[in-house]
Amino acid sequence: MATKAPRENIDESDLSVRAPKTVAVGVPAVVHALQIAQQQMGVARTAQTLLRVNQKDGFDCPGCAWPEEDKRHVAEFCENGAKAVAEEATLRRVGPDFFARHSIADLAAHDDWWLGQQGRLTHPVILDEGASHYRPIAWDDALREIAGALSALDDPDEAVFYTSGRTSNEAAFLYQLLVRGLGTNNLPDCSNMCHESSGAALSETIGIGKGTVSIDDIHAADLLIVAGQNPGTNHPRMLSALEKAKQRGARIIAVNPLPEAGLLRFENPQTPRGIAFGGTALADDFVQIRLGGDQALFQGIGKHLLERAETDAAILDGAFIETYTSGFAAYRDALSALAWDDLVTATGLTEDRIRALGDVVAGSSATIVCWAMGLTQHKHSVPTLREVVNVLLLRGDIGRPGAGVCPVRGHSNVQGDRTVGIYEKPSTAFLDALAAEFSFAPPREHGFDTVQAIRAMRDGAVRVFFGMGGNFVSATPDTAVVEAAMARVDLSVQVSTKLNRSHVVTGRRAIILPTLGRTDRDRRGGGEQRVTVEDSMGAVHASRGRLAPPEEGLLSEVAIVARLCALLFDGATGPRADWTSLEGDYAGIRQHISRVVPGFEDYEQRIAKGRTFFLPNPPRDERRFDTVDGRARFTVNPLEYPRIPEGRLLLQTLRSHDQYNTTIYGKDDRYRGIHGGRRVVLAHIDDIREQGFADGDLVDLVSEWHGPDGLQERRAPSFRLVAYDTPRRNAAAYYPETNVLVPLDSVADVSGTPTSKSVVIRLEPARSPAATGAR
Ligand SMILES: Nc1nc2c(c(=O)[nH]1)N[C@H]1C(S)=C(S)[C@@H](COP(=O)(O)OP(=O)(O)OC[C@H]3O[C@@H](n4cnc5c(=O)[nH]c(N)nc54)[C@H](O)[C@@H]3O)O[C@H]1N2
Ligand SMILES: Nc1nc2c(c(=O)[nH]1)N[C@H]1C(S)=C(S)[C@@H](COP(=O)(O)OP(=O)(O)OC[C@H]3O[C@@H](n4cnc5c(=O)[nH]c(N)nc54)[C@H](O)[C@@H]3O)O[C@H]1N2
Ligand SMILES: [Mo]
């Protein structure tokens, strides 16, 4: 069912702009988090819940994927973790009466923030074809409807199964089995829009699609480069680790177009010193790079190291290069042919500045590069990350203490989901093991990633869309195209904790299955269940919720999938397993995983009593590189960087401090000085003036994209211009509001990730003066 987005009647009249902050966290953050938590869940539940976050035998924070330290604090959570928990543990409810009161058209007129604020979903509901309202449906009937629609497909590839990254290992493993049992690898996931570029670059160059450092390595590093990441907002617990590294003498360099508060200074609320003394200055150096200039920066650093090595061979780790790598000579020659002028243009930094950074790298005894979306969501993200690897290889900075690559993952179990099989391009070894374990023939042909899935839906090739968590409609690029694509599907199913836009923009028929979250107690036939998750550093541990679930009889994700399997696979065809007993006791699923996925041997024992275990990581553990030639690979990557046409700006779409992806907690972005609104575009004052505007003017953002059929334009109306400290011609605005501007076909080479951090836009005076914010 196609609906009109709430974009037309935008009220941002409370918007105000103040000076950005230079210090992150501290007491105001804790107070703010507790306020939000108490509004959602009351005082008693707040205390009961927040004290269990990330404790051994507690539940894993549904916030981010940053690992816990081994020695836990009493309150092992951060402001934004507390908000994520409060969102889920809220006492507000969305039940059948809510859906009776609100038609689809009514819900569609509200934004993601309002939808999320309504509370936890409690009952399965169905939207019949042509109906104006969802109506309640019994669990069994809902599951039979879904199984029926899947069985009726002419070809299993007519179904698409999306996963967001909060799903546990157990649920994810069973879910991929269901999907492959049906006969398709159409398993797009949020990773396709997130760290896919990291996975692609790292698998190719070092033989594993994950980072190679542990939390101890962070503490032990001599130099930490944090590029394209805003940890003060998105991975606040990382700041504690950076602080510890700093206290042990590490240098920290922030590479970012924006001076993000958390990277500059940090007040640790866990330590009295943090509160009393105004915190630690974290970054020793802030490198204000142009959007998309990072490939050039790392090439420049590599070039400088190679030049210095001509007179001082000890600059490079010759023994490492000789023993463990391939491709060095070609890399060296390619870099020597690069012109400094190009590197300067691409980065916006001077040659001297880049060389000085090279000297810092040369002087470091152990270097880690951390990154997130600022490096992964560009057209040339994969080459950019290959260049990061090149620099680390030059100095042997992989596979020894305090050194390595550190892609900082987003969703709390996005890495685990991939490990247990949520992947549209599964390896042969994985499929072979799955086939042997469950006596069936999984499909071998690769499936759709997120962007390919949208194209197939748009073209009418998909009849069933199934979303395991997430908010497909809001999170994906090109909102208008995705909404139309979703409307073409016969049946859309969402397994969700909270209401979001993907429940309102649906297929011709739609089903919502509510489910348990991390914080909820999960009691099944075999007793109270735990699930497991893998953090950003490959450590696996159990998570157990303790709160009374929002509704008796609410099914866990595992139970939903197990029951669908029981309906779909009768033992004659498809995978064979005892679905009922797997639903009753998830230890049975862990046994299957331990036989299918390498590294999970003795799974149950290794997670007992709150223990954590590390999955094998050949580069880290033994400097073994499972690449095509068995070596870590230097690569040659022709320089790329965004060329911004005359009179245009390059827009990055990012997160405010008060949101979790498409879940909006509130309308403030405290550290950046934005209050009471989200429709702002941060730009350099000279660009604002050059374009004929003034700070505070209301503009429409119009993106320009040259597709095969010529110029395409997309418009996001009514954004307030905010003069901000950013490089010239680089602008920033919040996602998901700006997803309307991101063309579906604008994706990263190799990884297919939407280029959410480089969208060419022009500014136009706002057509409709909808928002009248005072400043
Ligand atoms: N509270 C909270 N926590 C979260 C999330 C959330 O929404 N809220 N989301 C989770 C998820 S799924 C993810 S993936 C992570 C995201 O974590 P981040 O990647 O930190 O999130 P973004 O807001 O997209 O910020 C991108 C950062 O990169 C910078 N940047 C943009 N382009 C470039 C570039 O070309 N070069 C460089 N060097 N820097 C650039 C931006 O200025 C910004 O600081 O956070 C996770 N944690
Ligand atoms: N323009 C632009 N677009 C982007 C990005 C960007 O930086 N810019 N970032 C991209 C990135 S990095 C990511 S990861 C994606 C995020 O894409 P998604 O993961 O699809 O989006 P979320 O907003 O995290 O999903 C939130 C919804 O998940 C559901 N949910 C929460 N917890 C659970 C649970 O435990 N179980 C179940 N079943 N459901 C649950 C709730 O209903 C909630 O409304 O967005 C991408 N899109
Ligand atoms: Mo993400």
Side-chain angles (χ1 to χ4, degrees):
M1 162 150 194
T3 51
K4 213 164 160 61
R7 294 190 288 272
E8 307 304 322
N9 47 5
I10 305 148
D11 177 13
E12 295 246 313
S13 45
D14 291 335
L15 178 68
S16 72
V17 179
R18 302 172 205 162
K21 293 264 185 297
T22 52
V23 183
V25 200
V27 175
V30 175
V31 172
H32 182 58
L34 289 175
Q35 277 167 353
I36 290 204
Q38 292 182 6
Q39 282 161 17
Q40 296 275 357
M41 42 182 188
V43 177
R45 198 165 156 104
T46 296
Q48 187 195 358
T49 312
L50 292 186
L51 290 179
R52 290 233 175 252
V53 187
N54 291 338
Q55 297 299 318
K56 296 190 174 177
D57 207 31
F59 63 88
D60 182 68
C61 180
C64 71
W66 188 258
E68 286 75 50
E69 316 238 346
D70 203 45
K71 194 170 143 283
R72 312 283 163 96
H73 295 282
V74 182
E76 187 63 49
F77 60 90
C78 64
E79 174 191 2
N80 277 342
K83 291 188 216 160
V85 168
E87 264 307 295
E88 185 176 296
T90 179
L91 292 168
R92 300 175 192 162
R93 298 288 176 263
V94 169
D97 53 325
F98 175 91
F99 289 107
R101 271 200 315 276
H102 296 282
S103 68
I104 292 288
D106 175 10
L107 295 175
H110 289 287
D111 61 13
D112 272 307
W113 178 71
W114 185 91
L115 291 172
Q117 289 298 306
Q118 302 312 302
R120 285 287 298 274
L121 294 157
T122 57
H123 290 74
V125 288
I126 184 167
L127 183 69
D128 297 310
E129 186 158 0
S132 60
H133 291 66
Y134 277 100
R135 66 171 168 86
I137 178 171
W139 275 103
D140 284 349
D141 295 337
L143 295 171
R144 262 196 298 273
E145 287 285 344
I146 299 164
L150 291 171
S151 311
L153 297 176
D154 298 325
D155 180 334
D157 289 332
E158 292 172 346
V160 159
F161 297 85
Y162 177 68
T163 316
S164 168
R166 282 200 189 170
T167 295
S168 65
N169 287 350
E170 289 77 359
F173 180 77
L174 215 55
Y175 181 55
Q176 62 80 32
L177 180 62
L178 168 102
V179 174
R180 300 198 161 106
L182 283 168
T184 179
N185 282 309
N186 285 346
L187 279 161
D189 71 344
C190 68
S191 216
N192 299 143
M193 299 180 275
C194 187
H195 267 293
E196 200 66 65
S197 305
S198 312
L202 295 176
S203 315
E204 180 190 339
T205 54
I206 62 167
I208 189 170
K210 303 180 180 182
T212 65
V213 302
S214 69
I215 191 86
D216 292 338
D217 290 319
I218 300 277
H219 297 154
D222 193 24
L223 172 65
L224 287 145
I225 300 178
V226 182
Q229 196 197 343
N230 178 22
T233 286
N234 297 313
H235 304 90
R237 284 179 303 114
M238 178 176 175
L239 300 185
S240 309
L242 293 179
E243 186 187 39
K244 198 156 169 182
K246 180 99 199 182
Q247 284 160 359
R248 295 188 179 178
R251 282 178 79 106
I252 299 175
I253 298 179
V255 181
N256 203 304
L258 306 179
E260 304 284 29
L263 279 171
L264 302 186
R265 257 191 122 68
F266 169 52
E267 286 179 10
N268 192 340
Q270 310 269 7
T271 63
R273 200 185 36 75
I275 293 169
F277 299 107
T280 315
L282 278 185
D284 298 275
D285 193 4
F286 165 49
V287 180
Q288 190 160 34
I289 196 164
R290 283 190 182 141
L291 284 171
D294 305 83
Q295 182 190 356
L297 174 68
F298 281 90
Q299 285 181 329
I301 292 173
K303 189 174 167 70
H304 181 69
L305 292 175
L306 287 164
E307 283 176 21
R308 274 192 61 185
E310 284 167 19
T311 53
D312 177 4
I315 292 286
L316 308 183
D317 186 341
F320 176 83
I321 294 172
E322 174 68 31
T323 317
Y324 295 107
T325 71
S326 64
F328 174 72
Y331 167 68
R332 186 192 51 208
D333 296 349
L335 285 203
S336 85
L338 271 178
W340 277 104
D341 280 356
D342 292 335
L343 303 179
V344 166
T345 309
T347 54
L349 307 169
T350 63
E351 177 180 336
D352 285 351
R353 182 88 163 94
I354 300 175
R355 286 190 186 274
L357 289 167
D359 287 335
V360 174
V361 174
S364 157
S365 60
T367 301
I368 291 176
V369 182
C370 304
W371 70 85
M373 297 304 100
L375 262 54
T376 63
Q377 296 177 334
H378 288 282
K379 177 170 186 295
H380 60 307
S381 282
V382 175
T384 298
L385 293 167
R386 289 187 195 128
E387 293 294 350
V388 169
V389 171
N390 282 338
V391 167
L392 292 171
L393 293 181
L394 281 178
R395 307 212 4 108
D397 273 328
I398 290 193
R400 63 191 179 83
V405 284
C406 181
V408 182
R409 303 278 159 172
H411 268 300
S412 52
N413 197 40
V414 61
Q415 187 159 317
D417 290 347
R418 200 38 87 76
T419 303
V420 302
I422 303 296
Y423 193 23
E424 75 280 359
K425 302 188 209 47
S427 71
T428 308
F430 178 82
L431 293 178
D432 290 346
L434 203 64
E437 178 72 11
F438 296 99
S439 317
F440 80 117
R444 300 281 164 167
E445 203 181 311
H446 289 172
F448 297 140
D449 66 13
T450 295
V451 166
Q452 292 164 338
I454 295 167
R455 289 193 190 119
M457 288 159 69
R458 175 197 62 192
D459 299 342
V462 174
R463 290 167 58 197
V464 177
F465 174 92
F466 192 106
M468 180 57 87
N471 183 359
F472 191 83
V473 169
S474 281
T476 50
D478 227 345
T479 314
V481 173
V482 175
E483 294 192 352
M486 190 59 89
R488 295 201 66 176
V489 166
D490 290 341
L491 172 67
S492 60
V493 179
Q494 300 286 343
V495 180
S496 311
T497 51
K498 307 273 304 262
L499 206 57
N500 63 45
R501 197 134 178 94
S502 302
H503 304 116
V504 200
V505 178
T506 68
R508 276 192 282 279
R509 295 195 308 145
I511 292 177
I512 305 175
L513 300 177
T515 193
L516 297 177
R518 281 286 162 76
T519 54
D520 300 315
R521 182 183 303 128
D522 185 3
R523 209 171 262 149
R524 306 253 72 88
E528 214 168 288
Q529 299 300 314
R530 303 178 288 182
V531 294
T532 52
V533 292
E534 174 186 344
D535 68 29
S536 200
M537 297 180 180
V540 178
H541 64 96
S543 169
R544 176 164 20 165
R546 298 297 176 95
L547 297 178
E551 174 71 26
E552 273 314 309
L554 205 57
L555 295 186
S556 64
E557 293 178 350
V558 168
I560 288 169
V561 178
R563 288 185 192 188
L564 281 172
C565 286
L567 288 171
L568 287 162
F569 309 131
D570 54 11
T573 56
R576 269 175 238 163
D578 183 349
W579 310 113
T580 315
S581 79
L582 293 182
E583 177 191 331
D585 185 355
Y586 305 170
I589 305 175
R590 287 189 285 274
Q591 273 174 29
H592 284 299
I593 296 176
S594 73
R595 289 189 293 260
V596 172
V597 189
F600 285 89
E601 300 77 16
D602 303 321
Y603 203 165
E604 207 61 30
Q605 293 86 307
R606 286 158 85 198
I607 54 157
K609 301 200 181 73
R611 279 197 290 263
T612 293
F613 71 91
F614 281 90
L615 290 171
N617 190 304
R620 166 165 82 198
D621 303 342
E622 44 182 317
R623 286 193 159 175
R624 185 160 61 76
F625 301 97
D626 292 332
T627 59
V628 284
D629 60 7
R631 286 169 166 252
R633 309 188 66 213
F634 281 99
T635 51
V636 172
N637 308 286
L639 173 61
E640 286 180 68
Y641 60 95
R643 316 292 157 113
I644 313 171
E646 247 345 275
R648 305 298 185 258
L649 301 178
L650 195 68
L651 178 77
Q652 62 152 322
T653 63
L654 41 47
R655 293 154 173 80
S656 85
H657 193 64
D658 267 2
Q659 74 183 83
Y660 194 93
N661 298 336
T662 68
T663 300
I664 312 301
Y665 302 136
K667 297 208 170 174
D668 296 342
D669 191 9
R670 202 170 70 242
Y671 295 156
R672 299 197 187 105
I674 310 294
H675 296 266
R678 292 180 47 86
R679 295 186 83 87
V680 291
V681 53
L682 315 181
H684 195 285
I685 184 68
D686 295 344
D687 289 317
I688 294 178
R689 293 197 181 121
E690 204 174 277
Q691 307 250 339
F693 295 102
D695 185 16
D697 278 358
L698 211 55
V699 292
D700 285 358
L701 311 180
V702 182
S703 72
E704 298 180 353
W705 163 252
H706 292 273
D709 310 319
L711 177 69
Q712 296 175 6
E713 296 193 348
R714 293 166 172 80
R715 180 177 299 262
S718 299
F719 280 71
R720 191 162 296 282
L721 275 166
V722 174
Y724 205 82
D725 182 3
T726 163
R728 288 295 307 270
R729 318 277 304 277
N730 286 182
Y734 303 130
Y735 127 84
E737 288 85 346
T738 45
N739 257 335
V740 287
L741 298 171
V742 185
L744 187 64
D745 291 332
S746 178
V747 296
D749 295 333
V750 185
S751 67
T753 297
T755 59
S756 312
K757 297 291 187 272
S758 44
V759 184
V760 173
I761 58 162
R762 65 170 194 269
L763 307 176
E764 286 190 358
R767 277 185 186 168
S768 60
T772 52
R775 283 167 61 81

